[in-house]
Amino acid sequence: MEMFGKRLVAVLALLALVMPAVMAAGNESVYGEKMRETAGVLKKVREWQRFGLVLNNDTLDEARNLGVAMVDFAVASLESIKDRLEDSNLSMKDEIIDEINEHITDLLNAKEDIEDAETVEELREAMKEARETWINAKVSLQKSLIIAVLDRLETFVENGERLEDFVTEKIAEFEEEGRDTTMLENWLEKFREDRENALDRISEAKEKVMEIETPHQGFEAMKDVREAVKNAVEYTKECVKDLREIIRLINQYGDEGDSEELLEVVGEVVEE
């Protein structure tokens, strides 16, 4: 019994960590390093500007070379991120990869304009185009981070179907033994409803995230996106609360073997 107690504590600890762990998933992504490198390049450009660098006919060639180098770096960054996305299990990766390909095409077009610029004004316009394209590209990267978090939530909630099947079987066994399973049935039904609601909210959140195309749209839509993600998280938390109660009831109705079986299923769902 002591060993079972330790297993129960371990599984409950996993449940307690599900939400924080999931929400932390986007904090240090596979793209973080490239984003930091890009931020470093932009910081250097700002530092150069503070040194009094100017763009005029005398510095046109050097400025053109700098612009080309920055676009090359941006393209290399996007290519690297695209490669990692292709190797990932991100649910919306095809759509995001398509966006990134469009950004790469736009950057390459901007690069040609930079290379062909013969006047200061032409170069400024080409650089502006490249800068706006890069800003929009970062929106796609941010979307991938949010989708990754939602994917983690979705996996946990979807795997809850295993728990439903297991508990349904246990209810049938307990009824055959003449036990009153009303409370367990009620909690299973609540778990099922919360799980379905969570999946709906996660799907809605993904749709809202993918609708964003530019920083301006992102700013305007962020309230709706935050609300959708919040709802998805809240319903997932409810699933965790329901699950805690189901564990308690099966521990009450069944024997140690029943509880051990449930904890094995719960462990698989949470850890996957």
Side-chain angles (χ1 to χ4, degrees):
M1 193 66 179
E2 180 180 355
M3 181 60 69
F4 168 72
K6 291 180 179 179
R7 286 175 58 82
L8 177 59
V9 170
V11 171
L12 290 179
L14 279 170
L15 288 174
L17 289 171
V18 166
M19 297 313 302
V22 168
M23 296 313 293
N27 290 344
E28 186 58 33
S29 74
V30 294
Y31 319 125
E33 182 178 352
K34 279 296 181 184
M35 295 301 290
R36 285 193 294 273
E37 290 177 1
T38 301
V41 170
L42 297 178
K43 180 180 178 182
K44 288 181 179 179
V45 172
R46 287 193 293 269
E47 289 175 349
W48 294 337
Q49 290 173 337
R50 284 198 294 271
F51 288 152
L53 294 182
V54 294
L55 175 57
N56 56 32
N57 290 332
D58 294 331
T59 61
L60 185 59
D61 289 341
E62 289 78 5
R64 186 189 298 111
N65 292 337
L66 175 60
V68 168
M70 290 179 65
V71 172
D72 283 342
F73 182 83
V75 170
S77 298
L78 292 178
E79 290 286 1
S80 175
I81 291 166
K82 186 175 72 171
D83 289 343
R84 298 192 184 198
L85 272 175
E86 289 173 343
D87 293 334
S88 75
N89 295 319
L90 198 72
S91 61
M92 316 295 286
K93 71 176 183 180
D94 289 342
E95 291 89 337
I96 294 177
I97 287 174
D98 286 343
E99 290 183 9
I100 291 176
N101 282 331
E102 291 180 10
H103 296 316
I104 290 174
T105 298
D106 290 341
L107 281 171
L108 292 176
N109 289 336
K111 177 183 174 180
E112 289 183 5
D113 291 340
I114 291 172
E115 291 173 329
D116 294 340
E118 296 181 356
T119 67
V120 170
E121 286 305 316
E122 288 178 356
L123 182 56
R124 280 179 177 158
E125 188 61 31
M127 291 286 285
K128 179 182 177 182
E129 179 187 345
R131 182 168 60 252
E132 290 176 351
T133 298
W134 174 243
I135 290 173
N136 291 338
K138 289 194 289 185
V139 173
S140 297
L141 308 186
Q142 291 163 352
K143 286 160 66 172
S144 72
L145 301 182
I146 301 174
I147 295 297
V149 172
L150 292 171
D151 280 352
R152 289 283 300 278
L153 283 179
E154 190 171 48
T155 297
F156 168 72
V157 177
E158 285 180 340
N159 288 343
E161 186 174 1
R162 302 184 200 172
L163 292 163
E164 290 181 12
D165 294 340
F166 176 85
V167 176
T168 299
E169 293 176 4
K170 286 302 172 185
I171 287 174
E173 292 179 16
F174 294 154
E175 287 178 339
E176 288 182 5
E177 296 170 0
R179 299 175 186 272
D180 181 4
T181 60
T182 302
M183 288 187 64
L184 185 55
E185 290 176 46
N186 289 342
W187 278 103
L188 176 60
E189 183 59 28
K190 185 175 184 305
F191 177 76
R192 183 177 290 114
E193 291 177 359
D194 286 335
R195 199 173 72 82
E196 291 175 355
N197 282 326
L199 289 173
D200 288 342
R201 299 303 180 274
I202 290 169
S203 178
E204 290 174 8
K206 287 185 178 182
E207 289 178 5
K208 289 185 179 299
V209 170
M210 293 304 296
E211 289 171 0
I212 299 172
E213 295 181 358
T214 67
H216 178 70
Q217 288 179 351
F219 179 79
E220 294 294 325
M222 192 48 65
K223 181 178 178 181
D224 291 339
V225 171
R226 279 200 302 265
E227 189 65 24
V229 173
K230 178 182 176 182
N231 288 336
V233 170
E234 287 303 317
Y235 274 110
T236 305
K237 286 182 177 178
E238 284 301 310
C239 289
V240 172
K241 293 177 183 177
D242 301 339
L243 188 50
R244 286 175 178 269
E245 195 62 27
I246 288 172
I247 291 174
R248 185 186 70 78
L249 289 171
I250 287 189
N251 190 31
Q252 175 183 321
Y253 292 160
D255 55 26
E256 185 173 340
D258 296 319
S259 300
E260 285 279 1
E261 287 181 55
L262 175 61
L263 293 185
E264 287 180 4
V265 176
V266 173
E268 292 172 0
V269 170
V270 175
E271 291 177 324
E272 187 165 309

